[in-house]
Amino acid sequence: MLRVLAMFLMMFLSISASRADGLSDVDRQAFERIISEQIEAFRADDGVRAYSHAAPMIRQIFPSPGNFMAMVKQGYPMVYRPQSFRFGEAGPDTAGRPTQRVNIVGPDGQNYEAIYTMEQQPDGTWQINGCAIAKAPDVSA
């Protein structure tokens, strides 16, 4: 089982790396559309719609829309109820995975940077495979 999982992970990383270097404008537009749709679904408490944008690995970890929404609500309040958000750069991360940066003003009024990792599906569509959040540095002088 571990050998199969390791082979799958190596295959995924090599595919992701080769595709990430060649992100098209269509890919970038898809990232923005998918992330926007998921955030709007969070705002509407529409777990089924929000969950529909989660990649298979996320669905394996959180096997129902309810589990997924509970995790987001508790662990990612700035994504669950942002005051506002705007898109930054899209491109490969240091491991070559396609990512989209999003600047978010959370419900607490604080600035955050979300880095969404995207995963291309066998049918060519993109889904969200993870999101890392960091408090944005204070730029006021």
Side-chain angles (χ1 to χ4, degrees), residues 19-137:
R19 290 184 181 157
D21 291 337
L23 284 179
S24 69
D25 288 340
V26 171
D27 292 333
R28 287 175 170 77
Q29 291 168 2
F31 294 176
E32 290 184 15
R33 178 186 52 77
I34 291 161
I35 293 166
S36 294
E37 287 176 5
Q38 188 178 63
I39 289 173
E40 291 308 319
F42 290 144
R43 286 176 165 167
D45 285 319
D46 186 343
V48 172
R49 189 166 49 120
Y51 192 66
S52 74
H53 296 294
M57 183 184 286
I58 301 300
R59 290 174 183 232
Q60 186 174 359
I61 296 167
F62 303 99
S64 75
N67 296 123
F68 178 70
M69 289 292 281
M71 176 274 298
V72 173
K73 188 175 185 178
Q74 181 177 4
Y76 295 84
M78 65 290 296
V79 173
Y80 183 68
R81 290 290 191 267
Q83 288 183 25
S84 65
F85 64 96
R86 66 182 166 77
F87 292 95
E89 294 181 19
D93 67 7
T94 57
R97 298 172 297 198
T99 61
Q100 173 67 60
R101 293 178 178 273
V102 182
N103 300 302
I104 297 173
V105 177
D108 57 3
Q110 298 294 310
N111 293 311
Y112 298 90
E113 181 177 49
I115 302 172
Y116 284 82
T117 304
M118 305 300 290
E119 177 184 83
Q120 193 165 33
Q121 303 307 300
D123 66 0
T125 61
W126 291 95
Q127 290 184 320
I128 299 167
N129 197 43
C131 180
I133 303 283
K135 191 166 184 222

